[in-house]
Amino acid sequence: AQKVTQAQTEISVVEKEDVTLDCVYETRDTTYYLFWYKQPPSGELVFLIRRNSFDEQNEISGRYSWNFQKSTSSFNFTITASQVVDSAVYFCALSEARRGSTLGRLYFGRGTQLTVWP
Amino acid sequence: EPEVTQTPSHQVTQMGQEVILRCVPISNHLYFYWYRQILGQKVEFLVSFYNNEISEKSEIFDDQFSVERPDGSNFTLKIRSTKLEDSAMYFCASSGEDGYYGYTFGSGTRLTVV
């Protein structure tokens, strides 16, 4: 069965600190997709990144970077020089590949509440 | 940028009543989904819909729930005989063939059952 674990329930940092959000997943599928979503206080789910299981390249997008390690089944997310606007709940999610659809259902972790203090 | 639109944004209903949550997916998307998030908890899959039929549903999606695509644009979730524990944020999502960006989620409908 698929499972996503975000062990950090809450993280507090001061502005400009770097912060890493951990994500560990379980799946028996050889092809799968990993995602990060941001949920600001307004409640919507904002897509941040998708990573395919066959692509272990790390990715950087501005202050955001992602470290995908298949060997440890981890897909960690780092925010560099955090800002108050980064305060949100961050969800890691896993999807299998499905016949007839690129994506199957998303399995979400419980989320990490990040608070960035000024 | 294309959006998934959900209405209403908030709904309060009495226990036992039926509610219909509405969604307008992105126009060229083919796959539609409903997820829910009980306050403070993780987002949970309810159902996926493709080619005018349910393609997958979770154990949560029992006979109390139904989905429909009544016309070419709307995608609805009906909850019959609502219970207090149905109070949650309900998210609609859609994805295209590629699904590169994962799903595009709507802003959600906050349902409160009193």
Side-chain angles (χ1 to χ4, degrees):
Chain A
Q2 283 68 22
K3 185 179 177 183
V4 176
T5 301
Q6 294 180 256
Q8 303 150 310
T9 308
E10 295 181 26
I11 299 177
S12 288
V13 298
V14 177
E15 222 174 7
K16 297 183 184 173
E17 284 185 23
D18 298 348
V19 58
T20 295
L21 309 181
D22 297 333
C23 173
V24 174
Y25 62 91
E26 295 175 31
T27 180
R28 292 182 180 175
D29 291 349
T30 55
T31 301
Y32 52 90
Y33 306 91
L34 296 164
F35 301 85
W36 276 94
Y37 285 90
K38 175 182 180 179
Q39 187 176 44
S42 48
E44 72 270 26
L45 288 167
V46 179
F47 168 83
L48 295 177
I49 191 171
R50 158 183 154 159
R51 176 59 71 220
N52 304 333
S53 56
F54 45 86
D55 179 6
E56 285 193 71
Q57 270 192 335
N58 291 327
E59 183 155 337
I60 298 174
S61 176
R63 296 185 297 107
Y64 295 169
S65 62
W66 290 269
N67 183 3
F68 176 32
Q69 293 202 339
K70 247 175 143 171
S71 59
T72 56
S73 298
S74 65
F75 186 42
N76 296 337
F77 172 33
T78 297
I79 302 174
T80 303
S82 59
Q83 300 175 1
V84 173
V85 294
D86 295 327
S87 296
V89 180
Y90 290 86
F91 289 99
C92 181
L94 166 74
S95 172
E96 310 139 335
R98 279 278 181 264
R99 189 175 160 210
S101 168
T102 304
L103 300 171
R105 61 191 285 184
L106 278 173
Y107 295 84
F108 282 83
R110 293 195 169 273
T112 297
Q113 169 70 60
L114 174 65
T115 302
V116 182
W117 297 99
Chain B
E1 190 172 319
E3 288 185 343
V4 174
T5 304
Q6 288 187 244
T7 55
S9 55
H10 293 88
Q11 178 145 6
V12 180
T13 190
Q14 295 233 329
M15 196 166 52
Q17 296 295 305
E18 175 182 287
V19 296
I20 297 177
L21 310 183
R22 291 185 165 81
C23 169
V24 178
I26 292 173
S27 61
N28 62 348
H29 281 182
L30 301 175
Y31 306 93
F32 314 114
Y33 313 85
W34 284 100
Y35 286 78
R36 81 171 184 190
Q37 183 184 28
I38 295 171
L39 185 64
Q41 298 189 24
K42 67 178 175 181
V43 181
E44 300 174 294
F45 169 78
L46 290 177
V47 65
S48 59
F49 193 86
Y50 171 70
N51 202 24
N52 285 319
E53 60 183 24
I54 290 173
S55 50
E56 189 177 1
K57 60 182 180 179
S58 73
E59 55 282 358
I60 303 169
F61 194 88
D62 58 20
D63 292 342
Q64 187 193 5
F65 296 90
S66 60
V67 290
E68 196 176 39
R69 190 157 161 80
D71 52 43
S73 59
N74 289 286
F75 179 51
T76 62
L77 174 68
K78 182 188 290 186
I79 309 174
R80 287 179 282 273
S81 190
T82 49
K83 300 174 281 196
L84 294 177
E85 53 265 37
D86 295 325
S87 296
M89 180 77 94
Y90 289 82
F91 290 103
C92 173
S94 67
S95 70
E97 281 289 348
D98 173 74
Y100 178 78
Y101 293 100
Y103 304 73
T104 300
F105 281 90
S107 298
T109 294
R110 182 164 298 285
L111 175 66
T112 302
V113 182
V114 297

